Amino acid sequence: MIIHPLNTGNFKLDGGAMFGVVPKSLWQRTNPADENNMCDWSMRSLLIEDGDRLILIDTGIGDKQSEKFFSHYYLSDHNSLEPNLKKLGYGMDDITDVFLTHLHFDHCGGAIKRTKDGEGFEPVFKNATYWSTEKHWKWATEPNQREKASFLKENILPIEESGQLKFIDRVGDYTTNVFNNFDVLFVDGHTESMMIPHIHYKDKTLVFMADLLPSVGHIPLPYVMGYDTRPLVTLDEKGRFLANATDQEFVLFLEHDSVNECCTLQHTEKGVRLKDTFQFSDLF
């Protein structure tokens, strides 16, 4: 197995929304905001080479939305997924599996593109199986009013229509052997049945954090996003995960932290806190 971090672009989101009830005077220490109160965020993916499988975890925001839509998010280094794959000697058609942690647009938008005539939509990865969960799929295709703007039907429905969609069975909160050396933790605070991959790699457990922990600035327990549908559930899930990740010395891969690619944790008198930050290549 070989793992590669991939950048799909950066964007901006409101700092207050990203940190919920935490005052700006506290969160801006780790995530400084611009004059519009917007903070920089990354959209990282992971590419896993494992035998005849080429697994992509999340896809970024994609390029099919309108100019007006993109103007809200101040995109930079946009659409870098394909050239970054090419640097590794791969094309879009080489991907065998697309694992979507959840179906918010900044995690799955790059999975679907417009057809050549511009009239419809089709999968970007035509030879891949797209993986979600039945509970989350139902949640996303019958969205509540709070999340409706994040679940865009053009990002989601074409996956099923293509025949490339498969579901990962959820039995309890942890499923093993989804792929080789690849387990999944299910969490429900941010959105229903978000999947957090745990990848056993070079004697370490590498955890793709998705939106359970967007950045190192979110490590203290009360630092929960305003986007989370069930913040009290997030508090419980996050607390249990952070304690276990510290005890087990997990390496956390941060999808959204614009500065820090990976981190480790430590126990302190104030609770679990940051230990080290580093680039993926520094450790692996």
Side-chain angles (χ1 to χ4, degrees):
M1 179 187 286
I2 302 173
I3 298 179
H4 308 277
L6 297 174
N7 180 35
T8 74
N10 284 24
F11 68 143
K12 291 187 177 186
L13 292 171
D14 182 85
M18 287 298 288
F19 287 95
V21 300
V22 177
K24 182 179 180 180
S25 59
L26 296 179
W27 59 252
Q28 69 177 354
R29 297 173 185 174
T30 55
N31 297 79
D34 65 16
E35 65 278 7
N36 295 315
N37 211 50
M38 306 288 277
C39 299
D40 292 320
W41 306 97
S42 291
M43 292 178 285
R44 296 190 182 94
S45 299
L46 278 182
L47 182 72
I48 303 172
E49 300 179 49
D50 189 21
D52 59 357
R53 293 192 108 135
L54 198 61
I55 304 164
L56 182 67
I57 304 177
D58 281 358
T59 66
I61 204 167
D63 62 0
K64 64 186 172 300
Q65 305 307 134
S66 68
E67 207 172 298
K68 181 180 179 181
F69 176 89
F70 287 131
S71 71
H72 297 309
Y73 300 105
Y74 304 90
L75 297 173
S76 59
D77 196 21
H78 191 210
N79 299 329
S80 54
L81 178 59
E82 186 170 12
N84 282 333
L85 277 174
K86 285 183 178 179
K87 289 177 185 177
L88 298 172
Y90 295 112
M92 301 301 216
D93 294 349
D94 295 319
I95 302 297
T96 62
D97 300 90
V98 177
F99 181 96
L100 299 170
T101 61
H102 60 300
L103 296 168
H104 288 166
F105 63 79
D106 55 315
H107 295 260
C108 73
I112 298 295
K113 64 182 179 180
R114 289 188 180 274
T115 54
K116 287 183 179 180
D117 62 11
E119 298 298 318
F121 302 95
E122 63 185 3
V124 168
F125 310 98
K126 66 180 185 181
N127 297 318
T129 298
Y130 285 66
W131 295 95
S132 183
T133 71
E134 194 166 7
K135 276 189 174 182
H136 184 65
W137 188 266
K138 180 176 175 60
W139 186 267
T141 54
E142 301 173 13
N144 59 75
Q145 288 300 313
R146 183 165 183 182
E147 285 182 280
K148 192 172 184 179
S150 292
F151 290 131
L152 307 181
K153 61 183 180 180
E154 61 267 30
N155 286 338
I156 300 171
L157 298 182
I159 300 174
E160 185 173 34
E161 291 164 359
S162 72
Q164 294 172 240
L165 174 66
K166 286 190 178 180
F167 293 133
I168 292 168
D169 292 333
R170 176 175 180 173
V171 180
D173 292 332
Y174 197 86
T175 297
T176 59
N177 299 317
V178 170
F179 305 118
N180 183 39
N181 293 314
F182 189 119
D183 305 330
V184 170
L185 171 69
F186 296 91
V187 291
D188 301 303
H190 179 62
T191 189
E192 177 71 28
S193 292
M194 181 169 68
M195 298 191 288
I196 306 297
H198 288 50
I199 305 156
H200 308 292
Y201 184 58
K202 296 187 177 180
D203 299 321
K204 303 282 187 182
T205 296
L206 178 69
V207 184
F208 187 92
M209 292 310 306
D211 283 339
L212 181 60
L213 192 77
S215 74
V216 297
H218 288 85
I219 293 172
L221 273 182
Y223 289 56
V224 171
M225 289 190 290
Y227 297 112
D228 285 21
T229 59
R230 306 179 183 111
L232 294 181
V233 173
T234 295
L235 277 173
D236 180 59
E237 293 171 337
K238 181 179 163 185
R240 285 185 281 112
F241 172 82
L242 291 178
N244 186 50
T246 306
D247 292 342
Q248 301 296 321
E249 299 182 337
F250 291 169
V251 176
L252 310 187
F253 183 82
L254 302 167
E255 184 167 12
H256 285 314
D257 192 311
S258 64
V259 176
N260 306 293
E261 203 168 67
C262 298
C263 75
T264 52
L265 305 170
Q266 61 183 335
H267 290 292
T268 75
E269 293 180 355
K270 294 183 178 181
V272 173
R273 291 293 185 268
L274 179 68
K275 183 178 181 181
D276 292 311
T277 61
F278 44 89
Q279 297 299 105
F280 180 90
S281 59
D282 292 338
L283 186 63
F284 297 111

